[in-house]
């Protein structure tokens, strides 16, 4: 890896990166995850100026349609197979993020012990589920921007809309609620007819559009934290006059990641 932009392959994932300087050893690390369009190179290009300005190593993995063809294998982390059986952890898409982090640390001698993790749209779905299922991850902050629908942090609903029958425990939920999480929502992300907006009855219970669903997600987490008597370290923030647009969200999201 050299200063500037490039890419490398890790297992079945192509990682688009941007380095603000030649000496990478002391740089903090930020992962930025694309949405359903799988346009990781575009996300890398959008975030490159932020990496230059704030001085972090930007990593944008591409979960291609070819290798991760649907919501089960990408948005839901491939934790479960289509028939509902739980996959081996080694096959989870979530594991790729940790693998990339350790690979880069080893290859370039990074001293960073953790990373910031941002996802937009389908990437936001990946990020908040990663939070639940990867308790030993090295992520120190999770920024979930404009997700289309959520796995609610409650055992009152069945997975994938809640945590019941997910294999997770109340202790896992407590840990998740105690993590540093930012639910980031564009105030104009209110298109009820968006072609990629899930409209199952369970998703519609979360709200009519992404902005409303994000508030439902956050408020559910807040209530669960109070009920479980655990420290709640989540935050909800809104980006005025921005719809379903990564570039607009990035300008605010980066402030949390650095």
């Amino acid at each position: 890896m050299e200063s500037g932009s490039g890419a490398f392959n890790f297992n079945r994932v192509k990682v688009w990166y941007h380095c603000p300087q030649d000496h990478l050893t002391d740089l903090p690390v930020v992962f930025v995850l694309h949405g359903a369009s799988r346009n990781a190179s575009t996300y890398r290009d959008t975030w490159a100026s932020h990496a230059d300005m704030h001085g972090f190593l930007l990593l944008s993995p591409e979960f291609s349609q070819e290798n991760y063809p649907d919501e089960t294998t990408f948005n839901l982390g491939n934790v479960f197979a289509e028939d509902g059986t739980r996959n081996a952890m080694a096959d989870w898409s979530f594991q790729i993020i940790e693998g990339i982090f350790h690979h880069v640390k080893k290859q370039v001698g990074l001293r960073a012990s953790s990373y910031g993790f941002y996802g937009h749209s389908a990437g936001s779905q990946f990020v908040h589920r990663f939070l639940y299922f990867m308790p030993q991850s090295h992520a120190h902050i999770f920024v979930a921007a404009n997700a289309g629908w959520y796995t609610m942090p409650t055992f009152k609903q069945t997975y994938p809309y809640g945590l019941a029958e997910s294999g997770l425990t109340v202790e896992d939920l407590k840990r998740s609620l105690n993590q540093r999480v930012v639910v980031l929502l564009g105030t104009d992300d209110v298109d009820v007819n968006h072609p990629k907006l899930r409209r199952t009855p369970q998703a519609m219970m979360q709200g009519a559009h992404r902005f409303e669903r994000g508030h439902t997600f956050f408020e559910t987490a807040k209530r669960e934290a109070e009920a479980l008597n655990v420290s709640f370290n989540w935050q909800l923030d809104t980006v005025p006059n921005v719809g379903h647009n990564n570039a607009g969200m990035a300008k605010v999201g980066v402030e949390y990641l650095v």
Side-chain angles (χ1 to χ4, degrees), residues 148-209:
W149 62 285
Y150 296 87
T151 297
M152 290 290 166
T154 176
F155 287 95
K156 297 181 178 70
Q157 299 174 48
T158 303
Y159 187 82
Y161 296 97
L163 299 179
E165 301 180 21
S166 66
L168 297 173
T169 67
V170 172
E171 291 304 312
D172 291 322
L173 175 56
K174 287 180 177 179
R175 175 197 54 78
S176 298
L177 295 169
N178 190 239
Q179 292 286 334
R180 183 82 174 94
V181 177
V182 179
V183 181
L184 193 63
L185 307 172
T187 60
D188 290 356
D189 199 356
V190 294
D191 184 358
V192 298
N193 297 311
H194 194 283
K196 293 182 180 178
L197 185 68
R198 179 176 277 220
R199 294 182 181 81
T200 61
Q202 300 95 325
M204 294 307 296
M205 286 177 61
Q206 298 179 5
H209 45 67

Side-chain angles (χ1 to χ4, degrees), residues 153-154 156 170 173-174 177 219-230 232:
T154 176
K156 297 181 178 70
V170 172
L173 175 56
K174 287 180 177 179
L177 295 169
E219 290 302 325
T220 300
K222 186 176 180 181
R223 286 195 302 270
E224 289 292 327
E226 291 172 353
L228 294 170
N229 194 30
V230 295
F232 185 54

Side-chain angles (χ1 to χ4, degrees), residues 5 16-18 40-50 58 60:
S5 294
W16 302 84
Y17 70 83
H18 183 79
S41 62
T42 301
Y43 273 63
R44 186 274 313 273
D45 293 344
T46 297
W47 279 78
S49 61
H50 298 300
L58 169 64
S60 186

Side-chain angles (χ1 to χ4, degrees), residues 70-72 74-77 121-129 132 144-152 157-162 185 189 196-207 209-214 216-217 244:
D70 50 30
E71 289 191 334
T72 297
F74 176 46
N75 308 34
L76 293 166
S121 193
S124 177
Q125 295 186 39
F126 186 108
V127 165
H128 84 266
R129 293 175 183 124
Y132 299 143
N146 291 344
W149 62 285
Y150 296 87
T151 297
M152 290 290 166
Q157 299 174 48
T158 303
Y159 187 82
Y161 296 97
L185 307 172
D189 199 356
K196 293 182 180 178
L197 185 68
R198 179 176 277 220
R199 294 182 181 81
T200 61
Q202 300 95 325
M204 294 307 296
M205 286 177 61
Q206 298 179 5
H209 45 67
R210 292 183 179 89
F211 188 65
E212 192 172 301
R213 293 177 185 185
T216 302
F217 176 59
H244 202 63

